Structures are given as structure tokens and as C-alpha cells.
Amino acid sequence: MSRTPQSTYRLQITADFDLFEAARRLPYLHALGADWVYLSPILVAEPGSTHGYDVVSHATVDPARGGPEGLAALSAEARRLGLGVLVDIVPNHMGVATPAVNAWWWDLLKHGRSSAYADYFDVDWDFGGGRLRIPVVGDGDEASIRVEEGEVRYHEHRFPLAPGTSTHDEQHYELVSWRAADSELNYRRFFAVNTLAAIRVEDREVFDASHVEIRRWFDEGLVDGLRVDHPDGLRDPGGYLDDLASLTGGAYVLVEKILALRDASSLGSSGTTTEELPRSWATAGTTGYDALGMVDRLLTDPAGKAPLDALEARLRGSEVDWHAMIRGTKRMIADGILHSEVRRIVRELPAEVREKQDVTDLEDAVAELLACFPVYRSYLPEERAALDDAFAAARRSRPDLTGVLDVLEGVLGDAEADAALRFQQTSGMVMAKGVEDTAFYRYSRLTSLNEVGGEPSEFSLSLDEWHRWSGERQASWPTAMTALSTHDTKRGEDVRARITVLSEIPEEWDAALTRLLELAPAPDPGFASLLWQAVLGSWPVSRERLHGYAEKAMREAGDRTTWTAPDADYEAAVHGLVDAAFDDAEVRQVLDGLLERVVAPGWVNSLSAKLLAIAMPGVPDVYQGSELWEQSLVDPDNRRFVDLDAREELLAGLDEWAPAPSVALDDLGVDKLLVTTRALTLRRDRPELFTSYTPVAASGEAADHVVAFDRGGAVAVATRLPLGLAARGGWGDTTLALPQGRWRDVISDRTISGDVADVLATLPVALLVKED
């Protein structure tokens, strides 16, 4: 019988922190209260890979990460402690940066269409004239392609020679300019990463070959559950999950699926709703970005929206229309780095369509539909609304394409049509690159909302909306994951919690930012706002980390400088802002003044978010190290070394720790550790207390500053909008309508009354259970 976790703790497995080391750390995870250990990908990856998503062989566990022996050791220790094991898997693509270490890819290059693996990869051979195009050649550097020692070489790159051949021109592949990747590529990738080639896991032979080691894990009882990376890239996600359920015997499976937040006014009600995960899928739910977005918005002050909108408009020179912005950035991606995918969709349209329409018009219309698509993808024939919305929006934005769109609608709405299937695989790529990796860096109104799975235009969430959404989640997806930080989040949970405070003091933020722009002039004030929010949220932070963030953020924004064509003068000016934070006394004075205002309420937001994420419906995940302050910025910053020794030492001495009534006494985040361990332990040891969801009403002058709910015996209580609460003078006569009985807070270990001032006398959060 399959197991379901009460919670998980995510570990990044690398050569420096391998499975043996992870096994050694499991007693700490158990002592913390975690129920399962959750591992990043562990199959053989590219040499030197620090993340593991570039799998080069499905045959075994990566020797660099501990190999099969390491997994056996970890699994044995997990069994001894009663922990489950969840492993991240990557079905969509393989790493091909080093062809010699990927036997399938090497054979494909060597033998072309006659390779045993020719159908394993998603290649359009006809478009390449029978050759696979590999975009590695620098500008004007074709002369560096050479044949040497029985291989084709290009600088450090090595490729095989086909039998009986001796020149590059005779190969089943063609080394082409790196610039050709945008529109001339003929193999599907992971997003726009040329070194990650997609595989056709919808083919049963490919599924079996790519899951041989995963099958062994379940046959031998080494692993209990899986996290499926990027299911939206698969041709048939539902079919894949069915195949996976058969292989694992119906094990606990999560999907890294982003559910878009949508304006519920279009559905006839107020507030925010969430895109639904297909109910037919064989999964327990998503990995929790939807939950993350709801927690952050519950803690955001709706009163900050108008003044922050005005500030953003002033910085950008005009009012910012988020939806128009992302339509533009998505169109830029569809016309740019992913135009190869657009062209392939058009090539797969029925011949009668291609013969009657101009190819350029067809490509234009497909790109427009991708830019207008409101969610990551559709899953025809189950749900058609998103596709209909995209066609309606495209007709509004491009009435000149109406005739072409009319022709496309029948094809792209046909669940069996090749072009429709490929369109569905592509829309998520365009959304991810156009929104998460571009627009999120161009929109700086309140950057705590610019998070994976989030919708920055949806500013805040009311208590009623929170309770309604949580109740629906308990009813529909009670064992989906909840998360606050992951290896993919743009900002760590405590960075966001601190930035969120700005929604309560927008005028003060406006004044401080204006002064910063005077002291350290920026070539782009809007981007400077995004950067100063990152400084504020992550402080104290090293100069090196901030320079790394600044470079990535401005190049991802792509409007003033890019990865492929950096603007040295612009980048130098932005890096000058980072240096000013450390070197300019007047800048530091402004920054220090801001920190005095936001650090303490940010601490309240952090503890509230942590308790909500652990206590709310779903299976909470603690990202490695986030039991203390998690002030990481975007990857690779959020994958850096975590000092588990220090955390283990703090946990061991926690019984001697007196919870701090203010952040000044908690520089390390020990209060967060206390909240985390007490809440996780209760969830693991008393699961019967977390089986339902009922709002707990508050009354009194500060009722809108407390969120409370009963999970079936455990009552979570958290503070929201702490500066507004302080301005009111505190909790006053606010009370909670607790069910009858004597209640004890397991975090502070106190018996409490129904007065909120008593419940939250020690910390801004509490987790209550009946003493009897």
C-alpha cells in the first residue's frame, strides 16, 4: 500500500553533498519533525552538474552523487527512522552538452535515422535535410570545425564520425551557428536550452527505457514517491502519469505544474481564483507554487496597491498594464528564442492548411496565440476554455489575422492533431520564458509578488478568499504539496516576507527610493526599484551575491542588456548601485532607515508564512535550510551550501531557547526553527488533527489582522499586516471563537485563553491543541 507524507524536507544532492552525506543528515530531519526526505534528481547527470536536471543516463544513480550504494544507504537509514523517500525525476529531456557521456545521443549522432534511438528524441529530420542541427559554432568560426582522432571536433566539443565517413559534411548532424537556435533548430529542447534535448516519453519503448532505474527503486522498496519535473513539456501528461502509476503501483506522485492565478471577476465573482489541475491525472497534486502565491497575497496589504501602482507608473514613465506587458514579452519569446518551436507547429499543420495559407501568416498567428494564451497549457479534450480565450484575445489584438485564426481554430482544437499536441507542449515554454524569466524582471511594483506560479497583477487576498480557497484545497487536493521556497523561486521566502512589508508603508518606500535614486542615479529607475527591493529583502548579504543577482536580473529583463549582447555601460551603472549599498555612507543611511522599518514586521510575516504553509491543507515542504532565515535570491544563489551542522546544534539546544518577542533577539532565525519543528512534529505525530478545514472567526477591533483555522483538532493562528496592527495599538479586545475546551499552544508551550493578545503574547503565531 502506498504511503502519503505528512511533510517533506528538500535536499539538493550534489557531488559535494551526496547520498551518503544525505543519509548522515536524516536523524536531524527526523528530529526536526519531517516525515519524508525529498531529493533532487539523482540519475546520472552531465559531468559537474550541480542540479541534476541534465540527465545523461537513466540506467543508474549518478556515481558522483553516491551511486546505487548511496541510495541504498539513504533508504536504509530512512527506513530505520520511519522516514519516506521522495525523488525528483526528469521525464521531458536529457542533457546533451557532452555527447560522449550520453550513449543515446551519441548513437543518434553517429547513425542518424538508422540509430536505435532515432525515435527516442523529438527530431524533425526532414526540416534539417536529414541532418540534426547542433547550434554551437561562434560567429565566423566555421574553420574551427575539424576531424581529429576519429571524431568531429569543435574547440572542446566532441562528436562521433558516422561509419565510413571522414568529414563533417558527411555526418547525420550539422554543426551550425549558435544564432540558428532561435528559428532553424530541428529538435525540441527544454525551453530554449540547446543542451537539453527532449525525449518522446509518450512512446512506450522510450518510457520503459527511461524508467528502468526508477522501476528498480520501487521493485526493491527504496523509494516511496516521485516529483515529476515539467510535465507540461510532455505530449500527453495524463497518459504519462497513468504509465507512471502502473510502474510504481500507485505511489505518491507530485507534478511540478504551475497553476495560473486568474481574475475571478471574469467568472462572475470577486477576487482571485486558481486554474484547476486536471482531476483525471494520477497525481496527488502540484509541488505548491499555487499555495505559495496564496500565502504571500494573504500577507499583503491591499491598501498599498494604489500608491505602489502610482510609484511604478512614475518610475516607468507611464501606467503599467501587466497583461499588455506579458503579451508583449511572450510575443518577443515566440518571435525570438522559441521561434523554432513556432515554425515546427506550422510544419505539422495539415497539408491543406499550409497550402492555402501563407506560411508567414501562419507563423504570425501561431505566435500571437501563444502570446495570448492565459495559462501554461491546455490538456485537450478535457478543458477547452483556455484555448478559446486565446483565440478570442488574438482576434482582438490582431484583427488582421482573423481569417488565418479561423482556419487554425479547428486544427488546434483537435486533441488528436499533431499541431495541436505540439502547440500544447509549446505554450508553457513561451509562458515560462516570457513571464517568469522576462516580465518578472521588468515589473517592480512589489517584487514579493513576482514569484513562480504567481500573478503579479493579483495584489492581495482577503481573509474570506483565503478561507474559501483553503477549503476547496482540502476538499480537492488535500495531499498536494505546499511550499514557500524551492530551487526555482526568484526570491527566498524571508526575502519576500520582508519586501511584502512595503505594501503597508508605500509612501515611506516611495520617499526612500526617491532619495536612493538621487544619491545613486540609475539608468533605469524601474529596474533600480527591483534591485533595491532585492537589497532590502536579502540584507545583510554579500557584495558578490548582489552583483550576481544584478547581472542575472538585468539580463533576464532583456530590455536594456541581454545575455547574448550585453551593454557594458548600462551594466556598469547597475553594478554601481550595488557598490553604493556598501560604499556610500548616505546610501547606507537611507537603507538602514528602511531596514529599521521593515525587518521586525518582516520577521512577523516570515513566521506567519511558515506556520500557514505547514498547517494549511496539503503536505508542507521545507526547502533545505529554510527552517532558519531563508534570504536567498534567484538560482544559483538559492542552491548554495547550507550549514546543517549549525541547524542541528541549534535544534539540540532549542528547549533552552526562550521565544523572542521581537526580531532583535533572533538574528539567526531560532524562532523560525521553533515554529517549524513544533508544527512539523505535531503534523507527523498527530495526523488526525489535520484532516479538515474550518475557519475560526475573530471579533474585535483588530479582527482583520488575525487568520485562524481549525484543521480538525489543531488550530493555527497567525498575524497579518503587523504594521497596521501596531498602528491600531495592538490586539485590544480581539478574541477568537475557539471551540470549547482548554487550549495549549504547542509552539510556546502555554495554556491560552481566547483573547488574541494572550494567544499571541510570545510569538506572532500559535498552533493550538486541546489539553485533554
Side-chain angles (χ1 to χ4, degrees):
M1 183 177 178
S2 62
R3 298 176 59 183
T4 298
Q6 295 299 319
S7 66
T8 62
Y9 188 103
R10 167 87 173 196
L11 291 174
Q12 295 294 114
I13 304 301
T14 67
D16 295 327
F17 188 93
D18 65 11
L19 290 162
F20 290 105
E21 179 63 13
R24 191 172 77 82
R25 299 296 185 171
L26 293 186
Y28 164 68
L29 270 58
H30 182 266
L32 184 68
D35 192 33
W36 285 30
V37 59
Y38 167 19
L39 308 176
S40 63
I42 59 174
L43 292 173
V44 184
E46 285 278 356
S49 171
T50 58
H51 51 76
Y53 290 95
D54 43 6
V55 173
V56 297
S57 172
H58 298 95
T60 189
V61 176
D62 195 341
R65 289 172 164 76
E69 300 81 6
L71 178 59
L74 179 137
S75 183
E77 179 66 353
R79 300 292 176 254
R80 184 184 74 82
L81 295 166
L83 296 172
V85 179
L86 180 72
V87 179
D88 200 340
I89 62 170
V90 190
N92 178 68
H93 54 268
M94 295 185 74
V96 296
T98 314
V101 301
N102 186 329
W104 294 1
W105 187 250
W106 186 266
D107 194 83
L108 177 78
L109 298 181
K110 188 172 184 177
H111 298 288
R113 282 176 153 171
S114 63
S115 167
Y117 306 103
D119 293 330
Y120 279 36
F121 294 92
D122 195 350
V123 179
D124 184 352
W125 292 100
D126 291 338
F127 181 63
R131 302 176 76 186
L132 178 71
R133 293 173 177 162
I134 303 177
V136 296
V137 180
D139 293 341
D141 195 31
E142 289 79 9
S144 294
I145 302 172
R146 65 197 189 279
V147 175
E148 185 176 295
E149 297 180 8
E151 294 178 346
V152 175
R153 302 280 178 87
Y154 177 72
H155 296 292
E156 74 278 11
H157 300 283
R158 298 169 45 218
F159 305 94
L161 276 178
T165 67
S166 59
T167 69
H168 169 237
D169 291 342
E170 297 176 279
Q171 303 313 306
H172 300 288
Y173 55 88
E174 178 184 10
L175 305 188
V176 298
S177 167
W178 65 274
R179 297 182 186 276
D182 286 2
S183 62
E184 302 297 325
L185 215 61
N186 63 338
Y187 65 94
R188 184 167 60 88
R189 303 160 289 172
F190 172 74
F191 298 158
V193 183
N194 300 333
T195 55
L196 295 176
I199 59 174
R200 299 180 58 251
V201 75
E202 67 274 7
D203 184 302
R204 186 68 205 196
E205 180 182 351
V206 180
F207 177 90
D208 289 340
S210 60
H211 288 68
V212 60
E213 174 67 0
I214 296 168
R215 181 184 296 277
R216 183 183 73 85
W217 298 345
F218 286 89
D219 288 347
E220 298 182 13
L222 297 168
V223 169
D224 301 289
L226 300 172
R227 179 258 197 197
V228 177
D229 181 66
H230 188 46
D232 279 350
L234 304 179
R235 197 166 181 85
D236 178 13
Y240 170 78
L241 290 170
D242 287 341
D243 290 343
L244 199 62
S246 296
L247 181 146
T248 66
Y252 181 77
V253 168
L254 295 166
V255 289
E256 187 228 7
K257 164 64 187 167
I258 294 172
L259 300 173
L261 289 174
R262 305 173 79 175
D263 183 357
S265 61
S266 64
L267 305 177
S269 60
S270 63
T272 301
T273 188
T274 309
E275 175 193 1
E276 283 285 329
L277 192 68
R279 298 295 180 92
S280 62
W281 283 11
T283 179
T286 75
T287 51
Y289 289 115
D290 47 343
L292 178 158
M294 292 300 187
V295 170
D296 284 352
R297 280 156 182 76
L298 177 65
L299 303 179
T300 301
D301 189 349
K305 181 179 185 299
L308 290 176
D309 276 339
L311 172 59
E312 181 77 352
R314 191 174 82 241
L315 295 173
R316 303 287 178 180
S318 63
E319 185 175 339
V320 179
D321 182 331
W322 167 254
H323 295 289
M325 176 191 286
I326 63 172
R327 198 207 72 78
T329 55
K330 289 165 68 179
R331 182 64 203 243
M332 178 188 76
I333 295 297
D335 289 337
I337 59 175
L338 290 177
H339 194 56
S340 288
E341 306 301 329
V342 171
R343 297 185 69 191
R344 191 165 179 190
I345 292 168
V346 170
R347 292 197 301 273
E348 294 190 356
L349 290 168
E352 60 269 22
V353 172
R354 287 183 283 111
E355 290 166 359
K356 293 179 181 178
Q357 300 289 332
D358 181 79
V359 170
T360 302
D361 288 343
L362 288 170
E363 291 176 359
D364 191 3
V366 168
E368 189 66 17
L369 285 168
L370 290 167
C372 293
F373 213 76
V375 294
Y376 278 73
R377 67 165 284 172
S378 55
Y379 308 95
L380 299 175
E382 280 190 61
E383 198 270 332
R384 175 68 187 260
L387 184 63
D388 292 339
D389 289 346
F391 270 99
R395 288 186 175 100
R396 289 193 299 270
S397 62
R398 292 292 304 278
D400 57 308
L401 291 174
T402 297
V404 185
L405 291 167
D406 289 345
V407 173
L408 287 175
E409 190 162 19
V411 179
L412 297 185
D414 179 357
E416 303 299 322
D418 287 339
L421 290 166
R422 190 163 300 281
F423 182 91
Q424 291 184 115
Q425 289 179 281
T426 306
S427 61
M429 301 186 204
V430 174
M431 175 74 89
K433 296 305 296 180
V435 179
E436 296 170 35
D437 293 343
T438 304
F440 275 8
Y441 295 100
R442 296 187 182 185
Y443 190 58
S444 53
R445 178 182 65 179
L446 187 67
T447 59
S448 54
L449 303 181
N450 296 16
E451 193 48 83
V452 180
E455 171 61 36
S457 67
E458 296 292 342
F459 191 81
S460 61
L461 197 69
S462 71
L463 280 168
D464 286 345
E465 289 165 343
W466 164 268
H467 288 312
R468 181 168 61 249
W469 179 82
S470 298
E472 292 170 355
R473 181 177 175 87
Q474 174 63 32
S476 301
W477 300 102
T479 57
M481 184 172 276
T482 65
L484 290 179
S485 297
T486 78
H487 62 287
D488 278 334
T489 41
K490 303 299 184 185
R491 297 161 187 83
E493 59 200 59
D494 299 318
V495 176
R496 299 197 311 277
R498 189 182 288 178
I499 292 171
T500 295
V501 177
L502 299 180
S503 70
E504 293 200 74
I505 53 167
E507 291 82 8
E508 292 181 50
W509 165 239
D510 189 333
L513 180 61
T514 299
R515 181 58 178 153
L516 288 170
L517 291 171
E518 292 171 354
L519 294 169
D524 182 341
F527 182 82
S529 174
L530 180 140
L531 182 60
W532 283 118
Q533 288 177 62
V535 174
L536 187 67
S538 60
W539 201 267
V541 60
S542 72
R543 189 188 303 253
E544 178 185 17
R545 287 175 58 205
L546 277 180
H547 277 303
Y549 174 77
E551 178 181 87
K552 179 164 185 172
M554 61 180 149
R555 291 182 179 180
E556 293 285 82
D559 50 357
R560 301 290 295 271
T561 187
T562 66
W563 291 106
T564 55
D567 182 321
D569 291 339
Y570 175 77
E571 294 195 359
V574 171
H575 286 297
L577 302 182
V578 172
D579 287 331
F582 294 90
D583 301 333
D584 187 310
E586 290 185 282
V587 167
R588 278 299 302 274
Q589 184 177 14
V590 176
L591 181 58
D592 288 344
L594 274 172
L595 288 165
E596 287 179 8
R597 288 291 282 149
V598 302
V599 168
W603 168 82
V604 174
N605 284 344
S606 292
L607 296 186
S608 291
K610 201 65 174 178
L611 181 69
L612 290 171
I614 294 175
M616 67 190 285
V619 173
D621 174 57
V622 176
Y623 184 66
Q624 59 176 23
S626 67
E627 62 271 35
L628 296 183
W629 300 135
E630 168 46 45
Q631 291 178 275
S632 296
L633 296 167
V634 70
D635 67 276
D637 191 62
N638 58 18
R639 302 177 190 182
R640 68 191 190 282
F641 171 76
V642 172
D643 189 345
L644 291 178
D645 286 332
R647 287 161 173 77
E648 187 171 349
E649 183 177 344
L650 287 171
L651 183 64
L654 199 58
D655 288 342
E656 308 301 320
W657 173 257
S662 75
V663 71
L665 301 178
D666 188 25
D667 290 341
L668 295 175
V670 183
D671 281 343
K672 190 180 181 192
L673 178 65
L674 179 69
V675 171
T676 302
T677 187
R678 297 280 167 84
L680 285 180
T681 301
L682 186 68
R683 285 213 64 162
R684 183 188 64 197
D685 297 347
R686 299 288 306 280
E688 74 279 5
L689 302 179
F690 295 87
T691 56
S692 61
Y693 185 92
T694 305
V696 173
S699 59
E701 58 194 75
D704 55 342
H705 290 278
V706 61
V707 54
F709 48 84
D710 185 347
R711 290 299 320 284
V715 175
V717 185
T719 303
R720 61 191 293 263
L721 313 183
L723 284 178
L725 176 65
R728 289 176 178 270
W731 292 110
D733 63 357
T734 308
T735 59
L736 290 175
L738 293 172
Q740 288 293 320
R742 286 172 54 85
W743 292 88
R744 179 174 59 86
D745 174 22
V746 301
I747 298 174
S748 63
D749 196 23
R750 296 181 305 114
T751 301
I752 54 88
S753 68
D755 295 335
V756 176
D758 181 34
V759 175
L760 303 180
T762 305
L763 289 172
V765 296
L767 186 57
L768 313 178
V769 296
K770 285 189 176 181
E771 288 202 317
D772 54 0

